[in-house]
Amino acid sequence: RGVNNLGMQGHDKSDKRVCVGTVQEILAAGRKRTEIADRDIVVIAHRGNFYALDSFCYHAGGPLHQGDIEDMGQEACIVCPWHKYKITLGTGQGLYMAVDPFNLKKQPELKSKGVKQRTHVVTIEHGQVFVTLSSVDTKLDSDHYNCAEYRHTFNLG
Ligand code: FES
């Protein structure tokens, strides 16, 4: 997935994109937490690609923007610092290693719980990074935690 084809969900052609910083700045820092329309977003640069996700974890609101990045199979994931859930950067799927309780000798298998974390579209133009919020109507688990109410309730700044 290239820099102009990230985020994957609901690219809104009406161009409500917001500039979140320069390519140089985000590449140097590796990530940037920001707010767009009262939504908490983290923009991540990883192996030359840019991704944008809701910044609080779908599981219980952990600070994903402070998580490490790890590969699970072919997928780059952010690992939530609270309970170590792994979320794909590109599509927001929750991944896990499934163990067969009836056959413990079997190698654990990589599985997906489906899309749990909302991802947003990233575009690059003239050295600037833009994020367009996802316009997918389906409610996702991360929606609960990525709003002003959650931020203010827990004094997250
Ligand atoms: Fe992220 Fe629990 S809050 S794994």
Side-chain angles (χ1 to χ4, degrees), residues 56-64 79-87 113 117 145 150:
F56 292 108
C57 176
Y58 75 88
H59 174 226
L64 276 190
V79 183
C80 180
W82 280 8
H83 314 103
K84 309 298 178 198
Y85 278 27
K86 294 165 177 67
I87 299 166
K113 302 178 206 172
Q117 194 77 14
Y145 296 107
Y150 179 72

Side-chain angles (χ1 to χ4, degrees), residues 68-129:
D68 292 333
I69 295 174
E70 211 175 85
D71 285 332
M72 295 276 285
Q74 304 294 313
E75 299 280 353
C77 293
I78 187 131
V79 183
C80 180
W82 280 8
H83 314 103
K84 309 298 178 198
Y85 278 27
K86 294 165 177 67
I87 299 166
T88 61
L89 292 177
T91 58
Q93 290 179 71
L95 296 189
Y96 65 104
M97 296 306 288
V99 174
D100 181 351
F102 301 106
N103 182 3
L104 295 176
K105 287 188 183 148
K106 196 174 157 197
Q107 284 294 322
E109 232 182 299
L110 184 61
K111 295 215 169 167
S112 171
K113 302 178 206 172
V115 176
K116 297 291 189 178
Q117 194 77 14
R118 192 173 288 275
T119 58
H120 307 279
V121 176
V122 180
T123 47
I124 308 291
E125 204 174 295
H126 304 307
Q128 307 281 323
V129 180

